[in-house]
Amino acid sequence: MTETKDRVVRVHAIGGPEVLHIDHIPIEAPGPGEIGIQVSAIGLNRADVMFRRNNYIEKAELPSRLGFEASGRVTGLGEGVGGFQSGDRVCVVPGAPLGVHGTCADWVNVPASRVLPCPGGLDDAEAAALWMSYVTPYGALIEICRIRAGQHVLITAANSTVGLAAIQIARTVGAYPIATVLSESLRQPVLEAGAEAVIVMESEDLAQGLARAAPDGIDAAFDAVGGPQVAQIAEAMRPRGTIVIHGALSPDQTPFPLKLALRKNLSLRGYYYTEVTDDSEALSRAQDFLNKGIAAGHVVPKIDRSFALEDIAEAHAYLESGRHLGKVVVLTQAGN
């Protein structure tokens, strides 16, 4: 059987995993400022699900490519691009428009500003699982909150890939991560992932859990949920603490706890990962932080399950089920 290298996954309608189709599109040469990549592995994200269901910030113009991040090898350089050679192992950093540069395919052309060398010591799947998961908490915890050794950091929905990465980042700098999860079955896996304490939301009130886990208060919060619980988080914050909300899993309105913010001099702000990926200097700092963390063994992407590209609908269904603990990855025939 001849190896196929021209497969591109595209969204042909808004909806569930069944709207994903594998189209055969001839490989195109990279345009000016672009790098051509033979994709080895694609890291799936909750945002992929939101994109095909039309619930994401970026909207699809059908039929549309999708996929935020990947690892692979350079196949060509567009006009004006230097610093890479054919065959170099690279990672695609999220942030380029999905419809044109979606990574879920055998091949993709990506703006050079969104391509970085693969860190040493990671295989293709791990390299594809790095950037969305880690740059999100890096920006919030290191760039914004500037957490340091000895501080207590709240990480909500901590069993997600971003949550697990946040635990590793907190541990890297010597902070104590306090995690929330929905069910008791997730307590032990998240403790084993490095959490100092775990609050199980189905059986414990958040305020009571925080009082138990951090009786002297928390210094920073990395919140994926929003909604009414933000007031409880603010109550548990130490003076001059920072709450960063990076997701909206709660369907309810998110209050601004004004009196607590005034009394404690709190900062509360929204955050989107492109705050780092669109800033070349911040992205360089993130790259340095993660490379050092990988070399030291503190940053270790966790892969839950890998799928073949032809099973992309099954991979999306599994991702959407929420049964995973770690990254869901799709491998092409070039993947290892």
Side-chain angles (χ1 to χ4, degrees), residues 33-321:
E34 294 181 342
I35 295 178
I37 299 170
Q38 179 184 5
V39 176
S40 300
I42 304 108
L44 298 189
N45 296 279
R46 184 70 184 176
D48 290 296
V49 173
M50 297 173 68
F51 181 75
R52 66 167 160 74
R53 289 195 177 276
N54 205 36
N55 295 325
Y56 193 59
I57 295 171
E58 183 178 348
K59 303 303 181 184
E61 294 184 10
L62 304 176
S64 175
R65 296 179 72 128
L66 79 166
F68 289 85
E69 56 188 338
S71 64
R73 293 187 179 275
V74 173
T75 56
L77 304 178
E79 181 182 348
V81 178
F84 293 93
Q85 294 182 347
S86 182
D88 285 350
R89 290 186 71 228
V90 293
C91 293
V92 177
V93 177
L98 295 183
V100 179
H101 305 292
T103 60
C104 200
D106 282 318
W107 66 273
V108 65
N109 295 321
V110 182
S113 61
R114 302 292 181 182
V115 179
L116 292 174
C118 278
L122 299 185
D123 64 21
D124 290 335
E126 292 168 332
L130 184 65
W131 280 100
M132 180 71 94
S133 297
Y134 284 87
V135 79
T136 303
Y138 166 84
L141 298 179
I142 303 301
E143 294 278 332
I144 297 171
C145 296
R146 301 188 182 278
I147 61 170
R148 58 186 184 273
Q151 291 189 324
H152 288 79
V153 179
L154 174 65
I155 300 166
T156 65
N159 57 296
S160 69
T161 56
V162 170
L164 295 174
I167 290 172
Q168 292 182 10
I169 287 173
R171 286 297 189 186
T172 296
V173 300
Y176 300 112
I178 298 169
T180 73
V181 297
L182 282 177
S183 65
E184 183 62 37
S185 64
L186 294 169
R187 181 194 298 273
Q188 191 58 36
V190 172
L191 283 171
E192 292 173 358
E196 183 76 11
V198 174
I199 301 167
V200 179
M201 299 298 290
E202 69 178 5
S203 60
E204 188 171 15
D205 177 75
L206 178 60
Q208 294 175 343
L210 287 170
R212 168 183 59 81
D216 295 328
I218 55 177
D219 300 280
F222 180 60
D223 181 34
V225 180
Q229 74 170 27
V230 169
Q232 293 178 299
I233 295 173
E235 189 70 53
M237 296 295 295
R238 289 172 57 83
R240 295 179 296 281
T242 301
I243 302 170
V244 177
I245 302 176
H246 68 97
L249 295 178
S250 172
D252 300 319
Q253 289 291 320
T254 300
F256 180 75
L258 177 61
K259 291 184 179 179
L260 286 169
L262 292 173
R263 176 160 55 87
K264 296 186 178 185
N265 293 302
L266 301 180
S267 298
L268 188 154
R269 56 164 294 180
Y271 166 76
Y272 188 50
Y273 71 90
T274 53
E275 187 168 331
V276 173
T277 60
D278 285 350
D279 181 333
S280 60
E281 293 184 358
L283 183 58
S284 180
R285 291 193 295 270
Q287 183 184 15
D288 182 63
F289 181 93
L290 293 178
N291 281 336
K292 289 178 179 176
I294 292 166
H298 300 309
V299 172
V300 183
K302 178 177 175 57
I303 308 301
D304 177 275
R305 186 173 171 186
S306 297
F307 291 82
L309 186 63
E310 56 264 30
D311 298 323
I312 185 61
E314 182 183 352
H316 264 244
Y318 180 68
L319 174 70
E320 198 164 5
S321 75

